[in-house]
Amino acid sequence: MSACVRIRHDHTARSSPPSRASGIKRPHSPPPPRRGGRFRIAGADLSASITVFLIAVPMSLGLAVAMDAPLEAGLISAAVGGIVAGLLGGTPLQVSGPSAGLTVVTAELIQIYGWRTTCAITIGAGLLQILLGSLRAARGALAVSPAIVHGTLAGIGVAIALAQLHIVLGGSPLSSAAANALALPEQLGRLSPAAPLIGALTIAVLVVWPRLPGRIGRAVRRLPAALASVAIATAVAAVAAPGIARVDLPSWRSHALPEPPQGPVLALATAVFTVLLVASLESLLAAVAVDKLTAGRAGGRTADSATTAPAIPAAPPVQRSDLDRELRGQGIANVVSGLLGGLPVSGGAVRSSANVRAGATGRAATVLHGVWVLLAAGLLVTALEWIPLAALAALVMVVGFQMVSFAHIRNVHKHREFLVYGATITGVVLFGVLEGVAIGIAVAVAVALHRLARTRITVTDQNGQHLVVVRGQLTFLAVPRLSRALGQLPRGGDAVVELDGFFMDHAAYETIQHWSDAQTAQGGRVVFTGRSGGRIAEPASAAHSCCRPWTPWRNHHCHDQPGRPVDARRAAATWATFPSGDHPTADQEPTGSGRAEAAPGANAAATAGPTGRFDTPGDGAAAPRRTGAHRLASGLSSFQRNTAPLVRDELARLAREGQRPSQLFITCADSRLVTSMITASGPGDLFTVRNVGNLVPPPGAEAGDDSVGAAIEYAVDVLKVESITVCGHSGCGAMQALMSTRPDTPQTSLWRWLRHGLPSLERMRSRNHAWARISGRLPADEVEQLCLTNVVQQLDHLRAHESVARRLAEGALQLHGMYFHVGEAQAYLLAEGASAGSGIDEVFDRVGPGDPNHARPYDITDLSDPTSLSDPGDHAAVSAPTAAADPADPSGSGELERTSA
């Protein structure tokens, strides 16, 4: 595995580290102290708590019905999960409550041991969670194969859906999923219409509610779909089916509390372990998912704002999950819930995702949701008793179906783990949760052993030289076949052994080594290669593990790391500058002719630093940080050493013949846009104009903005370009600044330039123009909508230039609109009619790999595939007075040109 990691050169962060009061937790550091020790409640937390409360109440009642537990137990566990786990857990935005994953397990425990013993089992599982959290075992729990975890949850979801289907059909569920499936024909034979119709209505509202169109739809969608479906079903049942079975909340005075467990010790220990396993895995997986949701929310607001425009205030940072603390918090919540006669508690993905999307900023939202549930349990008993059981069963049935995620199925199939996933689901449905997990683990081990032992060995004769191809891992199990294949080769002959695997044990190594020594001693020549053809005996350069051909600039900071050996830095830079498909091997170095030749003595340099010892970051004092000037000098030196010899002939030809670009490319000055990469172009291909916001001032605009017009006139009239492209991008800071403008905005140079973007803002808000959109999906937000509309508006400004209008009328010029999503590395092209000004729909179509229709106007292979990079180099660039300079940057994208929001 590579020791190289991506390094983010953020000089602001390095020069001014975050304060302890900022709420940002450093790795392996204690949590920041609470300011003032007070529990702060923000307005966003209050509104988010109400949203989650409206989801939690019907969900808690539905899960209690599914478990055949006292209905008030569902409300108790929701309140305890919100208040106790919210205060003590390690994931501030995670909402805990009754566990959907434990539905089947808890229902079986209640049937076998009764309700009071089940509460005692919940307490025991909570105590073990506290113990494991104190022993810092939470990360180890995530080491279970994802195929087993998701297969377990999917199997539980299938069992939940089968059980609740009986209630929806007006009957009662049986003891197991298999029994429920076999009893379905009989249940359908004695069907009563009231319950199925109410259940169908609930499911229909759940499906349709998030998709209601129009302004009214946007308004009503603020009400959670779960609450809306149950409320509508309750209202319809009150009028159309007054005799339907409803929620029956008994008096709190008759609520049953736990008792000492009664039953076989081994069976009780197994039950405690099962509750512990499922509740812990569900909580920890939900915590990891909440971290991703929180990071995505923050990234959507701030990650794309590091451009040349002022930033928009973002949500306060939220600490990443402390999984050990989360496990302890869940354990305490389970102990309290069990003592109060509640259901087992775990983190819930549905409630937690709703909390994050509702804008929660801290624990207050989770805790307040628990308070609201507690108040509802005491004050809304009469209202809750109007809810039909069929509506709650339909709600939980949909939750069960959602636990079978098609995204997870695709993922495990992609990683060839579907057999493990399917075996786990089958085991859970047929035998139970613990048995299903055991079956999944057994199958996973068997699959791993099969892959380890499966080795294919082929021998072919290629003009007197034998090629031995070994596919798979080389263990002692493959030694007999390997020895037999190698023994068939003529003694003293030449052979190439291609090893396509990542593991070789001692027995296989000795077998190959002894055969190689014997062949060499008899005058033969043996070469060992990997699948790519590189010699395995050559030094393992970091170029292979860091700077891959398909991401030539991905780790362009490799040569800046003080811990990287000299030759490794050179190799990384060399890989980054070779044309696609023509990369050197680990011990090759570019020469003046552009060919790679072997560099003798590379072995020593590849393992030691310039001082003759290993030069690692942790060895001695930290290396001094490089300043911008040093980085510039280092980049230029890297260019002269590695890239210049490869492109010197081509640049000399261009110097003699002059530039003849075929395109004028107008794009933003954002440092993340590498035009040569996304257009797969080389020296002399693009005449580039970069400015803040990719703006094209219309003719006759204010003086001082003539540089863009001059570049357009020069490109069209002198260079005779064949096309002009206006390229916008996601997260454009200029568009964000336009969205946040106010009448009292200071009249700075930046604002005077951005005024040329006001027509785009007016076009987006006007009802006379159709909104620009992306094919296959709607724009993510108003900022992306403005980025798309701005491209269309700037094309209109282009047509107003006299030289452009003249060439368009002659049919000698084409205009193109382009949008590049930075985070997805995906290019989109404006439809031809809209680019020409004659289309009604302003649609940006996705450019797929190998799409000839999209590739033709640019005379390139693929706008979205970095493997189609042609000759390396820079383009001719014209910068407007408002544009940031775009010097040649051999270090990679954004290294020299980094503007702060």
Side-chain angles (χ1 to χ4, degrees), residues 754-764 789 793-794 797:
L754 290 179
R755 281 186 301 177
H756 298 299
L758 289 177
S760 301
L761 187 61
E762 295 172 0
R763 183 189 189 107
M764 186 185 76
T789 302
Q793 182 65 34
Q794 302 313 311
H797 290 179

Side-chain angles (χ1 to χ4, degrees), residues 258 372 390 399 429 467 566 577 728 753 773 848 866:
W372 307 143
V399 172
V429 171
L467 173 64
V566 174
T577 54
W753 169 254
R773 59 190 186 276

Side-chain angles (χ1 to χ4, degrees), residues 55-81:
I55 296 175
V57 170
M59 190 75 69
S60 302
L61 293 174
L63 291 175
V65 171
M67 298 177 190
D68 198 21
L71 297 185
E72 66 272 17
L75 299 176
I76 291 174
S77 59
V80 170

Side-chain angles (χ1 to χ4, degrees), residues 480-770:
R481 282 181 292 140
L482 179 63
S483 300
R484 185 164 54 252
L486 295 178
Q488 295 175 356
L489 302 180
R491 297 181 180 181
D494 295 342
V496 176
V497 180
E498 180 180 315
L499 302 176
D500 180 16
F502 58 84
F503 178 77
M504 179 190 301
D505 70 1
H506 190 200
Y509 173 79
E510 284 197 346
T511 301
I512 293 179
Q513 186 64 45
H514 291 163
W515 171 80
S516 175
D517 292 343
Q519 288 289 99
T520 305
Q522 297 180 13
R525 182 172 178 267
V526 178
V527 176
F528 294 94
T529 72
R531 189 170 190 175
S532 61
R535 296 182 60 183
I536 289 183
E538 296 163 355
S541 168
H544 286 282
S545 58
C546 282
C547 301
R548 304 284 186 180
W550 43 270
T551 53
W553 50 268
R554 172 182 164 195
N555 285 288
H556 55 275
H557 301 118
C558 284
H559 65 279
D560 255 353
Q561 299 180 28
R564 292 288 302 283
V566 174
D567 275 27
R569 299 173 198 166
R570 181 183 305 157
T574 302
W575 274 74
T577 54
F578 260 70
S580 177
D582 190 25
H583 300 283
T585 55
D587 63 348
Q588 289 175 341
E589 184 174 347
T591 62
S593 63
R595 297 174 59 87
E597 298 179 354
N603 269 322
T607 55
T611 60
R613 65 180 182 87
F614 290 100
D615 192 13
T616 61
D619 191 7
R625 297 168 180 164
R626 295 188 168 216
T627 64
H630 288 161
R631 186 171 294 105
L632 173 63
S634 174
L636 294 175
S637 175
S638 175
F639 169 79
Q640 295 301 145
R641 180 177 62 251
N642 300 306
T643 308
L646 302 178
V647 299
R648 184 171 288 118
D649 293 342
E650 177 67 10
L651 292 179
R653 182 187 65 80
L654 292 173
R656 291 192 306 268
E657 300 175 0
Q659 63 168 330
R660 298 177 183 175
S662 61
Q663 306 164 55
L664 169 60
F665 200 83
I666 303 174
T667 189
C668 186
D670 191 291
S671 60
R672 298 165 297 180
L673 289 182
V674 186
T675 54
S676 60
M677 178 188 68
I678 63 178
T679 60
S681 55
D685 291 340
L686 299 183
F687 190 74
T688 307
V689 175
R690 303 188 70 152
N691 61 57
V692 176
N694 48 274
L695 301 178
V696 179
E702 222 174 292
D705 295 330
D706 289 337
S707 61
V708 177
I712 294 172
E713 183 178 338
Y714 182 76
V716 172
D717 291 340
V718 179
L719 298 178
K720 304 294 184 182
V721 295
E722 300 171 0
S723 69
I724 303 177
T725 300
V726 177
C727 176
H729 68 96
S730 62
C732 182
M735 300 301 105
Q736 295 181 24
L738 282 174
M739 294 288 295
S740 59
T741 53
R742 295 179 298 181
D744 58 345
T745 302
Q747 299 296 308
T748 62
S749 298
L750 178 59
W751 167 240
R752 284 192 293 272
W753 169 254
L754 290 179
R755 281 186 301 177
H756 298 299
L758 289 177
S760 301
L761 187 61
E762 295 172 0
R763 183 189 189 107
M764 186 185 76
R765 294 173 175 172
S766 171
R767 296 187 177 182
N768 298 326
H769 294 280

Side-chain angles (χ1 to χ4, degrees), residues 278-338:
V278 178
S280 301
L281 284 177
E282 190 174 14
S283 297
L284 295 177
L285 288 174
V288 173
V290 168
D291 278 348
K292 293 180 180 179
L293 286 174
T294 307
R297 182 181 69 178
R301 294 185 183 182
T302 62
D304 282 340
S305 62
T307 56
T308 54
I312 296 176
V318 178
Q319 296 180 13
R320 291 192 61 185
S321 296
D322 183 341
L323 295 183
D324 293 307
R325 178 180 174 182
E326 179 64 25
L327 192 57
R328 291 195 299 271
Q330 294 291 335
I332 297 172
N334 272 312
V335 171
V336 174
S337 180

